[in-house]
Coordinates of all heavy atoms in Angstrom, one line a residue:
M4 N 0.8 -1.2 0.0 CA 0.0 0.0 0.0 C 0.9 1.2 0.0 O 1.8 1.3 0.8 CB -0.9 0.0 1.2 CG -1.9 1.1 1.3 SD -3.0 0.9 2.7 CE -4.5 1.1 1.8
P5 N 0.6 2.2 -0.9 CA 1.4 3.4 -0.9 C 1.4 4.2 0.4 O 0.4 4.3 1.1 CB 0.8 4.3 -2.0 CG -0.1 3.4 -2.8 CD -0.4 2.3 -1.9
E6 N 2.5 4.8 0.7 CA 2.6 5.6 1.9 C 1.9 6.9 1.7 O 2.1 7.6 0.7 CB 4.1 5.8 2.3 CG 4.3 6.5 3.6 CD 5.8 6.6 3.9 OE1 6.6 5.7 3.6 OE2 6.2 7.7 4.4
K7 N 1.1 7.3 2.7 CA 0.4 8.6 2.6 C 1.2 9.7 3.2 O 1.8 9.5 4.3 CB -1.0 8.5 3.4 CG -2.0 7.7 2.6 CD -3.4 7.8 3.3 CE -4.4 7.0 2.5 NZ -5.7 7.2 3.1
S8 N 1.2 10.8 2.5 CA 2.0 11.9 3.0 C 1.1 12.7 3.9 O -0.1 12.9 3.7 CB 2.4 12.8 1.8 OG 2.9 14.0 2.2
S9 N 1.7 13.3 5.0 CA 0.9 14.1 5.9 C 0.8 15.5 5.3 O -0.1 16.3 5.8 CB 1.6 14.2 7.2 OG 2.9 14.8 7.1
D10 N 1.5 15.9 4.3 CA 1.5 17.2 3.6 C 0.5 17.1 2.5 O 0.7 16.4 1.5 CB 2.9 17.6 3.1 CG 2.9 19.0 2.5 OD1 1.8 19.6 2.5 OD2 4.0 19.4 2.1
P11 N -0.6 17.9 2.5 CA -1.6 17.9 1.5 C -1.2 18.6 0.2 O -1.8 18.5 -0.8 CB -2.8 18.6 2.1 CG -2.2 19.6 3.1 CD -1.0 18.9 3.6
H12 N 0.0 19.3 0.2 CA 0.4 20.0 -1.0 C 1.7 19.3 -1.6 O 2.7 19.2 -1.0 CB 0.8 21.4 -0.6 CG -0.3 22.2 0.0 ND1 -1.4 22.6 -0.7 CD2 -0.5 22.5 1.3 CE1 -2.2 23.2 0.2 NE2 -1.7 23.2 1.4
P13 N 1.5 18.7 -2.8 CA 2.6 18.0 -3.4 C 3.8 18.9 -3.9 O 4.8 18.4 -4.2 CB 2.0 17.2 -4.5 CG 0.8 18.1 -4.9 CD 0.3 18.7 -3.6
L14 N 3.5 20.2 -4.0 CA 4.6 21.1 -4.5 C 4.9 22.1 -3.4 O 4.1 22.5 -2.6 CB 4.0 21.9 -5.7 CG 3.8 21.1 -7.0 CD1 3.1 22.0 -8.0 CD2 5.0 20.5 -7.6
S15 N 6.2 22.5 -3.4 CA 6.6 23.5 -2.5 C 6.1 24.8 -3.0 O 5.7 25.0 -4.2 CB 8.2 23.6 -2.5 OG 8.7 24.1 -3.7
N16 N 6.1 25.8 -2.2 CA 5.6 27.2 -2.6 C 6.5 27.7 -3.7 O 6.0 28.3 -4.7 CB 5.7 28.1 -1.4 CG 4.7 27.9 -0.4 OD1 3.6 27.3 -0.6 ND2 4.9 28.3 0.9
L17 N 7.8 27.4 -3.6 CA 8.8 27.9 -4.7 C 8.5 27.2 -6.0 O 8.4 27.9 -7.0 CB 10.2 27.6 -4.2 CG 11.3 28.1 -5.1 CD1 11.2 29.7 -5.2 CD2 12.7 27.8 -4.4
A18 N 8.2 25.9 -6.0 CA 7.9 25.2 -7.3 C 6.6 25.7 -7.8 O 6.5 26.0 -9.0 CB 7.8 23.7 -7.0
Y19 N 5.6 25.9 -7.0 CA 4.4 26.5 -7.5 C 4.6 27.9 -8.1 O 4.0 28.2 -9.1 CB 3.4 26.6 -6.3 CG 2.0 27.1 -6.7 CD1 1.1 26.3 -7.3 CD2 1.7 28.4 -6.6 CE1 -0.2 26.8 -7.6 CE2 0.5 29.0 -7.0 CZ -0.4 28.1 -7.5 OH -1.7 28.6 -7.9
D20 N 5.4 28.7 -7.4 CA 5.7 30.0 -8.0 C 6.3 30.0 -9.4 O 5.9 30.7 -10.3 CB 6.6 30.8 -7.0 CG 5.9 31.1 -5.7 OD1 4.7 31.0 -5.6 OD2 6.7 31.5 -4.8
W21 N 7.3 29.0 -9.6 CA 7.9 28.9 -10.9 C 6.9 28.4 -11.9 O 6.9 28.9 -13.0 CB 9.1 28.0 -10.8 CG 10.3 28.6 -10.2 CD1 10.9 28.3 -9.1 CD2 11.1 29.7 -10.8 NE1 12.0 29.1 -8.9 CE2 12.1 30.0 -9.9 CE3 10.9 30.4 -12.0 CZ2 13.0 31.0 -10.2 CZ3 11.9 31.4 -12.2 CH2 12.9 31.7 -11.3
I22 N 6.0 27.5 -11.5 CA 5.0 27.0 -12.5 C 4.1 28.1 -12.9 O 3.7 28.3 -14.0 CB 4.3 25.8 -11.9 CG1 5.3 24.6 -11.8 CG2 3.0 25.4 -12.7 CD1 4.7 23.4 -11.0
T23 N 3.6 28.9 -11.9 CA 2.7 30.0 -12.1 C 3.4 31.0 -13.1 O 2.7 31.5 -14.0 CB 2.2 30.6 -10.8 OG1 1.6 29.6 -10.0 CG2 1.3 31.7 -11.1
L24 N 4.6 31.4 -12.8 CA 5.3 32.3 -13.6 C 5.4 31.8 -15.0 O 5.2 32.5 -16.0 CB 6.7 32.6 -13.1 CG 7.6 33.5 -13.9 CD1 8.2 34.6 -13.0 CD2 8.6 32.8 -14.7
M25 N 5.7 30.5 -15.2 CA 5.8 29.9 -16.5 C 4.5 29.9 -17.3 O 4.5 30.2 -18.5 CB 6.4 28.5 -16.4 CG 7.9 28.5 -16.0 SD 8.5 26.8 -15.7 CE 8.4 26.1 -17.4
Q26 N 3.4 29.7 -16.6 CA 2.1 29.7 -17.2 C 1.8 31.1 -17.7 O 1.3 31.3 -18.8 CB 1.0 29.2 -16.2 CG -0.4 29.3 -16.8 CD -1.4 29.0 -15.8 OE1 -1.2 29.0 -14.6 NE2 -2.6 28.7 -16.3
N27 N 2.1 32.1 -16.8 CA 1.8 33.5 -17.2 C 2.7 33.9 -18.4 O 2.2 34.6 -19.3 CB 2.1 34.4 -16.0 CG 1.0 34.2 -14.9 OD1 -0.1 33.8 -15.2 ND2 1.4 34.6 -13.7
K28 N 3.9 33.5 -18.4 CA 4.8 33.8 -19.6 C 4.3 33.2 -20.9 O 4.3 33.8 -21.9 CB 6.2 33.4 -19.3 CG 6.9 34.2 -18.3 CD 7.4 35.5 -18.8 CE 8.2 36.3 -17.7 NZ 8.4 37.7 -18.1
A29 N 3.9 31.9 -20.7 CA 3.3 31.2 -21.9 C 2.1 31.8 -22.5 O 1.9 32.0 -23.7 CB 3.1 29.7 -21.6
Q30 N 1.2 32.3 -21.6 CA 0.0 33.0 -22.0 C 0.3 34.3 -22.7 O -0.3 34.7 -23.7 CB -1.0 33.1 -20.9 CG -1.6 31.9 -20.4 CD -2.5 32.0 -19.1 OE1 -2.3 32.9 -18.3 NE2 -3.4 31.1 -19.0
A31 N 1.3 35.0 -22.1 CA 1.7 36.3 -22.7 C 2.3 36.1 -24.1 O 2.0 36.9 -25.0 CB 2.8 36.9 -21.8
L32 N 3.1 35.0 -24.3 CA 3.6 34.8 -25.6 C 2.5 34.6 -26.7 O 2.6 35.2 -27.8 CB 4.5 33.5 -25.6 CG 5.8 33.6 -24.9 CD1 6.5 32.3 -24.9 CD2 6.7 34.7 -25.4
L33 N 1.4 34.0 -26.3 CA 0.3 33.8 -27.2 C -0.4 35.2 -27.5 O -0.7 35.5 -28.6 CB -0.8 32.9 -26.6 CG -0.3 31.4 -26.5 CD1 -1.4 30.6 -25.8 CD2 0.0 30.8 -27.9
A34 N -0.5 36.0 -26.5 CA -1.0 37.4 -26.6 C -0.1 38.2 -27.5 O -0.6 38.9 -28.4 CB -1.2 38.0 -25.3
Y35 N 1.2 38.1 -27.3 CA 2.1 38.9 -28.2 C 2.0 38.5 -29.6 O 2.1 39.4 -30.5 CB 3.6 38.7 -27.7 CG 3.8 39.2 -26.3 CD1 4.8 38.5 -25.5 CD2 3.1 40.2 -25.7 CE1 5.0 38.9 -24.2 CE2 3.4 40.6 -24.4 CZ 4.3 39.9 -23.6 OH 4.6 40.3 -22.3
D36 N 1.8 37.2 -29.9 CA 1.6 36.8 -31.3 C 0.4 37.6 -31.9 O 0.5 38.1 -33.1 CB 1.3 35.3 -31.4 CG 2.6 34.5 -31.1 OD1 3.7 35.0 -31.3 OD2 2.4 33.3 -30.7
Q37 N -0.7 37.7 -31.2 CA -1.8 38.5 -31.7 C -1.5 40.0 -31.8 O -1.9 40.6 -32.8 CB -3.0 38.3 -30.8 CG -4.3 39.0 -31.3 CD -4.7 38.5 -32.7 OE1 -4.8 37.3 -32.9 NE2 -4.9 39.3 -33.7
Y38 N -0.7 40.5 -30.9 CA -0.4 41.9 -30.9 C 0.5 42.2 -32.2 O 0.3 43.2 -32.8 CB 0.4 42.4 -29.7 CG -0.3 42.2 -28.4 CD1 0.4 42.2 -27.2 CD2 -1.7 42.0 -28.3 CE1 -0.2 42.0 -25.9 CE2 -2.3 41.8 -27.0 CZ -1.6 41.8 -25.9 OH -2.2 41.7 -24.7
I39 N 1.4 41.3 -32.5 CA 2.2 41.4 -33.7 C 1.4 41.4 -34.9 O 1.5 42.3 -35.8 CB 3.3 40.3 -33.7 CG1 4.3 40.5 -32.6 CG2 4.0 40.3 -35.1 CD1 5.2 39.2 -32.3
K40 N 0.4 40.5 -35.0 CA -0.5 40.5 -36.2 C -1.3 41.8 -36.3 O -1.5 42.3 -37.3 CB -1.4 39.3 -36.0 CG -0.8 38.0 -36.3 CD -1.7 36.8 -36.1 CE -1.0 35.5 -36.1 NZ -1.9 34.4 -35.8
D41 N -1.8 42.3 -35.1 CA -2.6 43.5 -35.1 C -1.7 44.7 -35.6 O -2.2 45.5 -36.4 CB -3.1 43.8 -33.7 CG -4.2 42.8 -33.3 OD1 -4.7 42.1 -34.1 OD2 -4.5 42.8 -32.1
A42 N -0.5 44.8 -35.1 CA 0.4 45.9 -35.5 C 0.7 45.8 -37.0 O 0.7 46.8 -37.7 CB 1.7 45.8 -34.7
E43 N 1.0 44.6 -37.5 CA 1.2 44.4 -38.9 C 0.0 44.8 -39.8 O 0.1 45.5 -40.8 CB 1.7 43.0 -39.2 CG 3.1 42.6 -38.7 CD 3.4 41.2 -38.8 OE1 2.5 40.3 -39.0 OE2 4.6 40.9 -38.7
A44 N -1.2 44.4 -39.3 CA -2.4 44.7 -40.0 C -2.6 46.3 -40.0 O -3.2 46.8 -41.0 CB -3.6 44.0 -39.4
A45 N -2.2 46.9 -39.0 CA -2.3 48.4 -38.9 C -1.2 49.1 -39.7 O -1.2 50.3 -39.7 CB -2.3 48.8 -37.4
G46 N -0.3 48.3 -40.2 CA 0.8 48.9 -41.0 C 1.9 49.6 -40.1 O 2.6 50.5 -40.5
S47 N 2.0 49.2 -38.8 CA 3.0 49.7 -37.9 C 4.1 48.8 -37.7 O 4.1 48.0 -36.7 CB 2.3 50.1 -36.6 OG 3.3 50.7 -35.7
A48 N 5.1 48.9 -38.5 CA 6.3 48.1 -38.3 C 7.0 48.3 -37.0 O 7.6 47.4 -36.4 CB 7.3 48.4 -39.5
E49 N 7.0 49.6 -36.5 CA 7.6 49.9 -35.3 C 7.0 49.2 -34.1 O 7.6 48.6 -33.2 CB 7.6 51.4 -35.0 CG 8.4 52.2 -36.0 CD 7.5 52.6 -37.2 OE1 6.3 52.2 -37.3 OE2 8.1 53.3 -38.1
C50 N 5.6 49.2 -34.1 CA 4.9 48.5 -33.0 C 5.1 47.0 -33.1 O 5.4 46.3 -32.1 CB 3.4 48.8 -33.1 SG 3.0 50.5 -32.6
A51 N 5.1 46.4 -34.3 CA 5.3 45.0 -34.5 C 6.7 44.6 -34.0 O 6.9 43.6 -33.3 CB 5.1 44.6 -36.0
A52 N 7.7 45.4 -34.3 CA 9.1 45.2 -33.9 C 9.2 45.2 -32.4 O 9.9 44.3 -31.8 CB 10.0 46.2 -34.5
F53 N 8.5 46.1 -31.7 CA 8.5 46.2 -30.3 C 7.9 44.9 -29.7 O 8.4 44.3 -28.7 CB 7.9 47.4 -29.7 CG 7.9 47.5 -28.2 CD1 9.0 47.9 -27.5 CD2 6.8 47.1 -27.5 CE1 9.1 47.9 -26.2 CE2 6.8 47.1 -26.1 CZ 7.9 47.5 -25.4
F54 N 6.7 44.5 -30.2 CA 6.1 43.3 -29.7 C 6.9 42.1 -29.9 O 6.9 41.2 -29.0 CB 4.7 43.2 -30.3 CG 3.7 44.2 -29.9 CD1 2.8 44.8 -30.8 CD2 3.5 44.6 -28.6 CE1 1.9 45.8 -30.4 CE2 2.6 45.5 -28.2 CZ 1.8 46.1 -29.1
R55 N 7.6 42.0 -31.0 CA 8.6 40.9 -31.2 C 9.7 40.9 -30.2 O 10.1 39.9 -29.7 CB 9.2 41.0 -32.6 CG 8.2 40.4 -33.7 CD 8.9 40.3 -35.0 NE 8.0 40.1 -36.1 CZ 7.4 41.1 -36.8 NH1 7.8 42.4 -36.6 NH2 6.5 40.8 -37.7
K56 N 10.2 42.1 -29.9 CA 11.2 42.2 -28.9 C 10.7 41.7 -27.5 O 11.4 41.0 -26.8 CB 11.7 43.7 -28.8 CG 12.8 44.0 -27.8 CD 13.1 45.5 -27.8 CE 14.1 45.8 -26.7 NZ 14.4 47.3 -26.7
V57 N 9.6 42.2 -27.1 CA 9.0 41.7 -25.8 C 8.7 40.2 -25.9 O 9.0 39.5 -24.9 CB 7.7 42.5 -25.5 CG1 7.0 42.0 -24.3 CG2 8.0 44.0 -25.4
H58 N 8.2 39.7 -27.0 CA 8.0 38.3 -27.1 C 9.3 37.5 -26.9 O 9.3 36.5 -26.2 CB 7.4 38.0 -28.5 CG 7.2 36.6 -28.8 ND1 8.2 35.7 -29.2 CD2 6.0 35.9 -28.8 CE1 7.7 34.5 -29.4 NE2 6.4 34.6 -29.2
D59 N 10.3 38.0 -27.6 CA 11.6 37.2 -27.5 C 12.2 37.3 -26.1 O 12.8 36.3 -25.7 CB 12.6 37.8 -28.5 CG 12.2 37.5 -30.0 OD1 11.3 36.7 -30.2 OD2 12.8 38.2 -30.9
T60 N 12.1 38.4 -25.4 CA 12.5 38.5 -24.1 C 11.8 37.5 -23.2 O 12.4 36.8 -22.4 CB 12.4 40.0 -23.6 OG1 13.1 40.8 -24.4 CG2 12.8 40.1 -22.1
D61 N 10.5 37.5 -23.3 CA 9.7 36.6 -22.4 C 10.0 35.2 -22.8 O 10.0 34.3 -21.9 CB 8.2 36.9 -22.6 CG 7.7 38.0 -21.6 OD1 8.5 38.6 -21.0 OD2 6.5 38.1 -21.5
K62 N 10.2 34.9 -24.1 CA 10.5 33.5 -24.5 C 11.8 33.0 -23.8 O 11.9 31.9 -23.3 CB 10.6 33.4 -26.0 CG 10.8 32.0 -26.5 CD 10.7 32.0 -28.0 CE 10.9 30.6 -28.5 NZ 10.9 30.5 -30.0
A63 N 12.8 33.9 -23.8 CA 14.1 33.6 -23.2 C 13.9 33.4 -21.7 O 14.5 32.5 -21.1 CB 15.1 34.7 -23.5
Q64 N 13.1 34.3 -21.0 CA 12.8 34.2 -19.6 C 12.1 32.9 -19.3 O 12.4 32.2 -18.3 CB 12.1 35.4 -19.1 CG 12.9 36.6 -19.1 CD 12.1 37.9 -18.7 OE1 10.9 37.9 -18.8 NE2 12.8 38.9 -18.4
L65 N 11.2 32.5 -20.2 CA 10.5 31.2 -20.0 C 11.4 30.0 -20.0 O 11.3 29.1 -19.2 CB 9.4 31.1 -21.0 CG 8.5 29.8 -21.0 CD1 7.8 29.7 -19.6 CD2 7.5 29.8 -22.1
A66 N 12.4 30.0 -20.9 CA 13.4 29.0 -21.0 C 14.2 28.9 -19.7 O 14.5 27.9 -19.2 CB 14.2 29.1 -22.2
E67 N 14.6 30.1 -19.2 CA 15.4 30.2 -18.0 C 14.6 29.7 -16.8 O 15.1 29.0 -15.9 CB 15.9 31.6 -17.8 CG 16.8 31.7 -16.6 CD 17.4 33.1 -16.4 OE1 17.1 34.0 -17.3 OE2 18.1 33.4 -15.4
A68 N 13.3 30.1 -16.8 CA 12.5 29.7 -15.7 C 12.3 28.2 -15.6 O 12.3 27.5 -14.6 CB 11.1 30.4 -15.8
K69 N 12.3 27.5 -16.8 CA 12.1 26.1 -16.9 C 13.3 25.4 -16.2 O 13.2 24.5 -15.5 CB 12.1 25.7 -18.3 CG 11.9 24.2 -18.5 CD 11.9 23.8 -20.0 CE 11.9 22.3 -20.3 NZ 11.9 22.0 -21.7
E70 N 14.5 26.0 -16.5 CA 15.7 25.4 -15.8 C 15.7 25.6 -14.3 O 16.1 24.7 -13.6 CB 17.0 26.1 -16.4 CG 17.2 25.9 -17.9 CD 17.3 24.4 -18.2 OE1 18.0 23.7 -17.5 OE2 16.7 23.9 -19.2
H71 N 15.2 26.7 -13.8 CA 15.1 27.0 -12.4 C 14.1 26.0 -11.8 O 14.3 25.4 -10.7 CB 14.6 28.4 -12.1 CG 15.7 29.4 -12.3 ND1 16.7 29.6 -11.3 CD2 16.0 30.3 -13.3 CE1 17.5 30.6 -11.7 NE2 17.1 31.0 -12.9
L72 N 12.9 25.8 -12.5 CA 11.9 24.8 -12.0 C 12.5 23.4 -11.9 O 12.3 22.7 -10.9 CB 10.7 24.8 -12.9 CG 9.6 23.8 -12.5 CD1 9.1 24.0 -11.1 CD2 8.5 23.8 -13.5
I73 N 13.2 23.0 -12.9 CA 13.8 21.7 -12.9 C 14.8 21.5 -11.7 O 14.7 20.5 -10.9 CB 14.6 21.4 -14.2 CG1 13.6 21.2 -15.3 CG2 15.5 20.2 -14.1 CD1 14.2 21.2 -16.7
A74 N 15.6 22.6 -11.4 CA 16.5 22.5 -10.3 C 15.7 22.5 -8.9 O 16.1 21.7 -8.0 CB 17.4 23.7 -10.3
V75 N 14.6 23.2 -8.9 CA 13.8 23.2 -7.6 C 13.2 21.9 -7.4 O 13.3 21.3 -6.3 CB 12.7 24.3 -7.7 CG1 11.7 24.2 -6.6 CG2 13.4 25.7 -7.6
L76 N 12.7 21.3 -8.5 CA 12.0 20.0 -8.4 C 13.1 18.9 -8.0 O 12.7 17.9 -7.4 CB 11.3 19.6 -9.6 CG 10.0 20.5 -9.9 CD1 9.5 20.1 -11.3 CD2 9.0 20.3 -8.8
Q77 N 14.3 19.0 -8.5 CA 15.3 18.1 -8.2 C 16.0 18.3 -6.9 O 16.8 17.5 -6.4 CB 16.4 18.1 -9.3 CG 15.9 17.6 -10.7 CD 16.9 17.7 -11.8 OE1 17.9 18.5 -11.7 NE2 16.8 16.9 -12.8
G78 N 15.6 19.4 -6.2 CA 16.2 19.7 -4.9 C 17.5 20.3 -4.9 O 18.2 20.4 -3.9
T79 N 18.0 20.8 -6.1 CA 19.3 21.4 -6.2 C 19.3 22.9 -6.1 O 20.3 23.6 -6.1 CB 20.0 21.0 -7.5 OG1 19.2 21.4 -8.6 CG2 20.2 19.5 -7.5
M80 N 18.1 23.5 -5.9 CA 17.9 24.9 -5.8 C 16.7 25.1 -4.8 O 15.7 24.4 -4.9 CB 17.6 25.6 -7.1 CG 17.4 27.1 -7.0 SD 16.9 27.8 -8.6 CE 18.4 27.7 -9.5
G81 N 16.9 26.1 -4.0 CA 15.8 26.4 -3.0 C 16.0 25.6 -1.7 O 16.8 24.8 -1.6
G82 N 15.1 26.0 -0.8 CA 15.3 25.4 0.5 C 14.4 24.1 0.7 O 14.3 23.3 -0.2
G83 N 13.8 24.0 1.8 CA 13.0 22.8 2.1 C 11.8 22.7 1.3 O 11.5 23.6 0.5
K84 N 11.0 21.7 1.5 CA 9.8 21.4 0.7 C 8.8 22.6 0.6 O 8.3 22.9 -0.4 CB 9.1 20.2 1.2 CG 8.0 19.7 0.3 CD 7.5 18.4 0.6 CE 6.5 17.9 -0.5 NZ 5.2 18.2 -0.2
N85 N 8.6 23.2 1.7 CA 7.6 24.3 1.8 C 8.3 25.6 2.1 O 7.7 26.5 2.7 CB 6.5 24.0 2.8 CG 5.5 23.0 2.2 OD1 5.1 23.1 1.1 ND2 5.2 22.0 3.0
A86 N 9.5 25.8 1.7 CA 10.2 27.0 1.9 C 9.5 28.1 1.1 O 9.1 28.0 0.0 CB 11.7 26.9 1.5
S87 N 9.4 29.3 1.7 CA 8.8 30.4 1.0 C 9.8 31.4 0.4 O 10.9 31.5 0.9 CB 7.9 31.2 2.0 OG 6.9 30.4 2.5

C-alpha cells in the first residue's frame, strides 16, 4: 500500500511560484503573437518590432524559468519542501 503523505500539498511554494510564472509567460507569448499580427495589419512596423522584442525577451525568460523549476524539483535549488 502506498505511503500517505501528511502534507496535502505535493509542491513547494517555490515550485508552485515557478510553475505559475511559466504559465503566465506562456499565455503572454500567445497574446504577443496576436499583438504582432494587429500591428502588422495596422501597418505599424515599429509596433510589430517592439512586440517581437517583448515576445523574444519573455520566451528567453520562460526557458530560463524552466531550468530553475527543474532545479527546484530536483532539490538542487531552493530550501526545504515548503520554503517560502
